[in-house]
Amino acid sequence: MIRTIAIKNNKEIVKDVDIIHLVKGNFKWYWIDFNQPTEEEIEFLRDPLSFHPLAIEDCIHHLQRPKLDYYDNYTFFVTQSLNQETISKEEVDFFLSGNYIVTFHYSPSMEINEVWNRLSQSPNIQKWDPSHVLYNIIDKMVDNYFPPIYKIEDRLSEIDENSTGRSMEVLLEDLFDTRHQLLSLRHTITPMRDLIYRMLNSQRMTEMQGKMVYFSDIHDHLLKLTEMIEANRELTTDIRDSYISINSHQTNHVMKVLTVITTIFMPLTFIAGLYGMNFHYMPELNWKYGYFAVLFLMFLVGLWMFLWFKKKGWFK
């Protein structure tokens, strides 16, 4: 689907203008949104918009790394938004010039829809231009990076506290899933941070003069997001190491208990084995109280070893 919005020289807003009329018409500026375009609609990028084949190829090949490319009369941007439900990346491409902006995306974009509605209903249309549209969309994208990270922080707190008493295997599995999500977020946010940094230091984007202070604010948000991701990754590492240490401690404790039990029964097994050989000339076998004496001896040996281990602190 393609939708268009154009601003006339008298600040009047006109919607759903044919692309050919937009390109050839006398408008102050216009916005074309390619929302889940078909193959036939993609051809408009070639004619009449006449964008470079490499830029069109980047649009068609989904999930490119965020970047910007300079062309003769426009700048091409590749950005990535986040799906709030699946926390997956969704690509949004921009063609920016002084008198137009073209957005291209295969997935529905809540950021573009929100800015589109704001522009359509704005009573102060003179403050809007293509670079301002670009800023508002990217700003919404970056703002939508925060909720998934906040959810991850809450999830890590639950894992750390383990108030529900889940097993360690389930907790570690949940923890590794969270680390995977953080890695995916870092692969989205870090390239976006580099993209905005490159925009801020660009000398060729004359259409964005006066807007750099706004993009600097976006860059600050991306820096904060990067720090939050790294802090949460370190936290997952600490929680993982803590659980592994606890697991090792519990394993050592169990092994220590088993070792004590085995050690206590070793002399008892020896005595039982000794008198279980049934040799003919064993005086104790013919003694009336031999059975009870051996049991009493085994009891004394076991009790003595138990008290000795307890004195050494093995049961603490």
Side-chain angles (χ1 to χ4, degrees), residues 268 271 275 284-285 287-301:
L268 306 184
I271 295 173
Y275 287 102
E284 294 84 356
L285 294 180
W287 185 32
K288 179 179 179 180
Y289 301 103
Y291 172 72
F292 300 100
V294 171
L295 284 180
F296 183 70
L297 175 63
M298 294 172 68
F299 172 76
L300 289 178
V301 172

Side-chain angles (χ1 to χ4, degrees), residues 5 60 64 97 106 114 168 176 181 187 215 233 291:
I5 188 169
I60 298 174
Q64 300 285 320
S97 180
Y106 280 114
E114 183 175 345
M168 192 168 298
F176 285 121
Q181 290 182 355
H187 287 167
F215 287 95
R233 280 180 57 83
Y291 172 72

Side-chain angles (χ1 to χ4, degrees), residues 67-68 75-79 92-94 96 134 195 199 205:
K67 65 174 183 177
L68 70 87
T75 307
F76 175 68
F77 300 86
V78 176
T79 64
V92 180
D93 304 316
F94 299 89
L96 180 70
L134 176 68
L195 169 64
M199 292 170 59
M205 300 176 62

Side-chain angles (χ1 to χ4, degrees), residues 240-258:
R240 180 197 61 189
D241 293 343
S242 297
Y243 278 130
I244 291 176
S245 298
I246 293 173
N247 187 49
S248 298
H249 174 73
Q250 292 176 344
T251 302
N252 291 335
H253 180 71
V254 171
M255 292 302 298
K256 183 171 67 174
V257 172
L258 293 176

Side-chain angles (χ1 to χ4, degrees), residues 184-196:
S184 178
L185 286 170
R186 186 172 69 173
H187 287 167
T188 300
I189 293 172
T190 301
M192 284 291 291
R193 181 197 63 191
D194 296 339
L195 169 64
I196 301 300

